[in-house]
Amino acid sequence: MPWKGETVQSETISDVLPPAAAGQRLTVRYFAWVREKVGHAEETIEVPDGIATVGELVTWLAARGPGYEDAFRRPGVVRAALDQVHVKPAAPLRGAREIAFFPPVTGG
Amino acid sequence: MAVRVQREAFEAAVEAGALVAGRTDVGSIVTFTGLVRGEAEGRALTSLTLEHYPQMTEAELARIEAEAVARFGLQDALIIHRYGELKPGEPIVLVVTLAAHRQAAFEAAEFLMDYLKSRAPFWKKEAFADGSDTWVDARETDASALARWQAALTQK
């Protein structure tokens, strides 16, 4: 980070943005039994300070109430997609507009 | 290359015929149809309901299809996947692959089904005669089928 009086010459935009997604508005969607346990299909949240990844968001969501806790109870079962693309728990939230949580898929 | 996600039933022969109409360069057409079985774990099913993630289903199926076309050198491909309430015996999913020779058409159809079953955002709920219903669990065999295709790539 530049200190007082230093001139910044060539930072990229990703150097300037904070690493966490704090304050970012995110649509959260739930499907199948995840939706049934949480109690609703969709909501909009503001990502809290210190939450930067999908996995960190899951931990925060699980603490919001008994329905959420039940939905996310077994670690590694609930899957996620960011802007309609499958992602792993380490995926960063920054830049995403929508996240979805769902059980392992059973189509076909 | 086409992907359709729809409530309505389809006819496999009609769809395959439409794909190949007017072409003389295709040597092989393979079609696979997945059907609703009327029984699950010894219990009679009254219906199977498929929930889906509307924006993601077409995108994910298109991604899977594009990968198959590239990997197997297909001349064309079609995936149709239904959602909503289906009855035993009804079709759920159609995969059609067109290739100059049969090996690519057969392998691509299997690849598409293996990938679709692991990645396409649909969830099945079974309803039974006694009024109960249950979400279908994903199968370990589906996940390991995917690994087989990935391993085959690294062996080439």
Side-chain angles (χ1 to χ4, degrees), chain A residues 29 35-36 86 98 108, chain B residues 51 53 55 119 124-125:
Chain A
R29 302 181 69 174
R35 181 197 67 249
E36 288 177 349
H86 288 289
E98 178 168 297
Chain B
E51 181 172 338
Y53 183 177
Q55 291 81 23
R119 303 189 65 85
K124 289 173 176 163
K125 196 174 204 185

Side-chain angles (χ1 to χ4, degrees), chain A residues 29-67:
Chain A
R29 302 181 69 174
Y30 306 100
F31 291 92
W33 56 250
V34 177
R35 181 197 67 249
E36 288 177 349
K37 289 176 188 281
V38 165
H40 45 266
E42 187 174 324
E43 59 183 314
T44 307
I45 62 165
E46 276 191 22
V47 178
D49 281 348
I51 304 245
T53 68
V54 169
E56 288 166 356
L57 186 67
V58 167
T59 305
W60 179 75
L61 284 169
R64 289 178 96 205

Side-chain angles (χ1 to χ4, degrees), chain B residues 55-69:
Chain B
Q55 291 81 23
M56 191 178 171
T57 44
E58 283 94 343
E60 190 67 25
L61 289 173
R63 274 190 284 269
I64 294 166
E65 192 181 71
E67 190 170 337
V69 168

Side-chain angles (χ1 to χ4, degrees), chain B residues 99-117:
Chain B
H101 301 286
R102 71 186 186 283
Q103 184 177 2
F106 275 124
E107 286 189 357
E110 195 169 8
F111 170 92
L112 281 169
M113 280 309 302
D114 287 344
Y115 261 80
L116 183 162
K117 287 191 83 75

Side-chain angles (χ1 to χ4, degrees), chain B residues 74-147:
Chain B
L74 300 179
Q75 291 169 313
D76 209 346
L78 169 66
I79 302 174
I80 301 176
H81 201 302
R82 297 177 68 195
Y83 64 90
E85 186 179 308
L86 308 183
K87 298 295 184 188
E90 285 189 28
I92 305 168
V93 61
L94 175 72
V95 164
V96 185
T97 56
L98 271 59
H101 301 286
R102 71 186 186 283
Q103 184 177 2
F106 275 124
E107 286 189 357
E110 195 169 8
F111 170 92
L112 281 169
M113 280 309 302
D114 287 344
Y115 261 80
L116 183 162
K117 287 191 83 75
S118 300
R119 303 189 65 85
F122 295 90
W123 300 274
K124 289 173 176 163
K125 196 174 204 185
E126 294 164 331
F128 301 98
D130 65 2
S132 66
D133 56 34
T134 180
W135 291 100
V136 173
D137 278 330
R139 295 158 75 122
E140 192 51 51
T141 46
D142 291 331
S144 52
L146 213 59

